[in-house]
Amino acid sequence: DTGVSQNPRHKITKRGQNVTFRCDPISEHNRLYWYRQTLGQGPEFLTYFQNEAQLEKSRLLSDRFSAERPKGSFSTLEIQRTEQGDSAMYLCASSKGTPGDQFFGPGTRLTVL
Amino acid sequence: GEDVEQSLFLSVREGDSSVINCTYTDSSSTYLYWYKQEPGAGLQLLTYIFSNMDMKQDQRLTVLLNKKDKHLSLRIADTQTGDSAIYFCAESSGYNKLIFGAGTRLAVHP
């Protein structure tokens, strides 16, 4: 499968724990995006990488959130001290930067108890 | 600021046409998109239109753009039960982040 992959697909954690998600983009895509989707809403932009550089961060990305893309390939999104409000689907997308080529992964569903 | 609005629900009879509407606020939007999301599945890009175009047709899908009113619509001809899903309108400036609406749930009944 040459699409965007995300791991894990599901994560259940207790409030206060740290979690880390991984995204593997399509191999030739230099741009990588993280979004968050809550029930009944559209995806909301969190952050954007071009190669290894993090070029934009949303106000939604509080200090408890950190994202990295160390070698310009896969990316990780870490949430520290999780809160119940962090429960959502976390989506990763990648593109080459041409219109219409932003492809989404299946998402990681986070449930914080 | 950037905002995209859609009606939340649409119900159509199988074989009829569906029209899903969207309004956006960012006048600098260069591309507008329609994505489809089925239960338990990821977001699937259906089609997109450049902001200097009025219309784009792709098989059963027709996108109409009224840039003056910042209004975008998606028409699905001969709607089938397999078209039942949530449809998201999204805008972008350049090739960066997408701003999505809340989605329109399309229900197709016999």
Side-chain angles (χ1 to χ4, degrees), chain A residues 13 18 27 30 32 60 66-67 72-73 77 81 91-92 101 108:
Chain A
T13 191
N18 299 344
S27 59
N30 62 340
L32 188 146
L60 294 174
S66 62
S73 56
L77 177 68
R81 304 182 302 281
L91 297 166
C92 175
D101 79 339
T108 294

Side-chain angles (χ1 to χ4, degrees), chain B residues 3-107:
Chain B
D3 193 20
V4 177
E5 294 193 355
Q6 303 178 236
S7 52
L8 295 182
F9 187 75
L10 177 66
S11 178
V12 299
R13 191 184 304 273
E14 191 174 13
D16 288 351
S17 292
S18 307
V19 179
I20 303 171
N21 295 300
C22 167
T23 57
Y24 61 98
T25 57
D26 188 359
S27 58
S28 67
S29 296
T30 51
Y31 289 93
L32 296 128
Y33 300 84
W34 286 103
Y35 280 83
K36 177 182 180 182
Q37 189 173 45
E38 296 177 273
L43 282 162
Q44 175 194 354
L45 176 65
L46 288 177
T47 186
Y48 66 94
I49 188 168
F50 186 45
S51 60
N52 69 352
M53 297 172 63
D54 298 323
M55 185 183 86
K56 181 178 181 180
Q57 187 153 2
D58 184 0
Q59 300 183 335
R60 291 191 299 124
L61 306 178
T62 303
V63 178
L64 294 177
L65 174 61
N66 181 327
K67 193 172 181 180
K68 173 176 170 290
D69 294 338
K70 299 190 182 68
H71 182 266
L72 183 74
S73 68
L74 174 69
R75 178 178 179 269
I76 306 173
D78 187 25
T79 313
Q80 302 298 308
T81 54
D83 295 323
S84 294
I86 301 175
Y87 291 80
F88 292 97
C89 169
E91 62 172 353
S92 75
S93 299
Y95 306 136
N96 293 345
K97 65 187 179 190
L98 294 172
I99 306 298
F100 286 87
T104 299
R105 182 177 296 275
L106 175 64

